[in-house]
Amino acid sequence: MILHSDSNQSNWVVIVAAGQGSRMGGDLPKQFMQLGGQEILRYSVNAFQQHVAIHGIIIVTSDQFLNHVKNAYPACEVVPGGVTRQDSSAKGVAACPDDATKILVHDAARPFLSQQIINECLAALDEYEAAAPVLPLRDTIVMSVDTAWQQLDRQTLRAMQTPEGFQAETLRAAHRSGVVGTDEIGLVLTSNPEAQVHLFEGSPDNFKITTSLDLELAAIVAARYRS
Ligand code: C5P
C-alpha cells in the first residue's frame, strides 16, 4: 500500500513483530502490550507513517495475530513471520515491491524512534549500502575465552539499534547468502565484509523493550511520544 509518493525513490519499511516476547513473562507478546493507551507496535507504525519519504510499511507477525494486525493497521501490508527474527525479516523483505530502492528493518519492540533517526538512515543510504543507529556502551564488557574471561575495549564496540537501513539489493543479497545472524547489518557484514556500512549516533529513547523494567521505563517515555 502506498502511503506517500516520490517519483525518484521507493522507500519501504519492514517492522518485525512476530516474536513471542518470552523474556518478558505474561501471555501477550510485548509488541501488543498496552503502553500509554495504545499498543507498543502502534508507536513505530505511527513514526513511519508520519515520515513523508516512507512509501509503504510491511508488518511481519505471527499467524495468531495476523487478523488483529490487519484490522488494526489497514494502511500496512501484513505478512506471516518465521521461527527466528531473521526468518521474519526475510519474509518482510520478500513482500517489498521489486522496485523498492531502500528498505528499513525495525523491531516492533522499539517504540520510540524519532523522525531524525529515520532521516539519518535514509540520507546515509544515498551514499552507503547500509546504515543504522548505534550507541556507545556504558558497561565494561568481558568475553568468555575457554575457561577464562578477557576484557574487550568498549571504545571500539557499539550497541546496534534499529531501524537498520539498506539499499534494497544489498539486503536481498544478504538474505540470499545463507549466513545466519541476529540482525540484518550482521548478515550484510558476514556475507560481504567489504560492504559500506554507515553507523550513526542513535538515541537512548530508542531502546528495545525486553524486560518488565523496560516496560516501566517505557511508560515514562511514552508520554512524550504519544500521538
Ligand atoms: O526477541 P527480540 O527482542 O530480539 O526480537 C526483536 C524483534 O524481532 C521483535 O520486534 C520481535 O517481535 C521480532 N521477531 C520476529 N520474529 C521472530 C522473533 C522476533 O519478528 N521469530
Side-chain angles (χ1 to χ4, degrees):
M1 257 151 263
I2 305 299
L3 300 173
H4 301 285
S5 62
D6 172 333
S7 54
N8 299 322
Q9 299 246 328
S10 176
N11 302 325
W12 283 71
V13 174
V14 172
I15 301 181
V16 283
Q20 296 302 317
S22 51
R23 280 170 289 182
M24 184 90 107
D27 293 336
L28 211 53
K30 55 197 174 186
Q31 59 274 22
F32 301 118
M33 288 180 178
Q34 289 290 308
L35 182 64
Q38 60 185 34
E39 69 183 11
I40 287 174
L41 173 59
R42 172 94 43 202
Y43 288 83
S44 47
V45 171
N46 282 349
F48 288 115
Q49 283 184 330
Q50 281 160 16
H51 198 286
V52 290
I54 297 297
H55 299 87
I57 301 172
I58 314 273
I59 303 175
V60 188
T61 197
S62 56
D63 291 345
Q64 196 189 345
F65 291 96
L66 273 179
N67 282 338
H68 161 69
V69 175
K70 282 180 183 166
N71 291 332
Y73 304 95
C76 301
E77 203 164 308
V78 184
V79 298
V83 175
T84 65
R85 184 191 183 286
Q86 182 174 345
D87 296 333
S88 296
S89 152
K91 290 182 177 202
V93 172
C96 291
D98 289 346
D99 68 355
T101 47
K102 298 174 185 173
I103 301 175
L104 309 190
V105 182
H106 185 66
D107 292 334
R110 293 183 191 272
F112 307 123
L113 83 156
S114 64
Q115 299 294 300
Q116 190 192 334
I117 282 183
I118 302 172
N119 285 341
E120 281 200 53
C121 207
L122 288 173
L125 295 173
D126 289 338
E127 210 175 321
Y128 297 90
E129 292 167 80
V134 295
L135 285 183
L137 298 177
R138 290 193 278 194
D139 297 320
T140 292
I141 304 291
V142 291
M143 179 172 70
S144 160
V145 183
D146 299 324
T147 56
W149 293 101
Q150 185 180 318
Q151 187 169 349
L152 298 180
D153 177 7
R154 71 177 174 200
Q155 302 293 345
T156 66
L157 299 171
R158 296 290 181 275
M160 304 291 301
Q161 298 189 328
T162 70
E164 294 186 348
F166 305 86
Q167 293 178 4
E169 185 43 36
T170 297
L171 182 54
R172 293 188 201 278
H175 273 303
R176 278 196 306 266
S177 72
V179 301
V180 176
T182 53
D183 75 326
E184 293 68 33
I185 294 273
L187 298 184
V188 166
L189 287 173
T190 307
S191 60
N192 175 16
E194 303 295 304
Q196 296 295 300
V197 176
H198 178 67
L199 302 182
F200 56 92
E201 177 140 8
S203 162
D205 284 6
N206 188 26
F207 64 94
K208 183 168 70 173
I209 298 177
T210 306
T211 66
S212 48
L213 179 64
D214 296 333
L215 199 56
E216 286 180 46
L217 179 61
I220 296 168
V221 181
R224 281 194 271 127
Y225 279 79
R226 219 168 293 138
S227 55

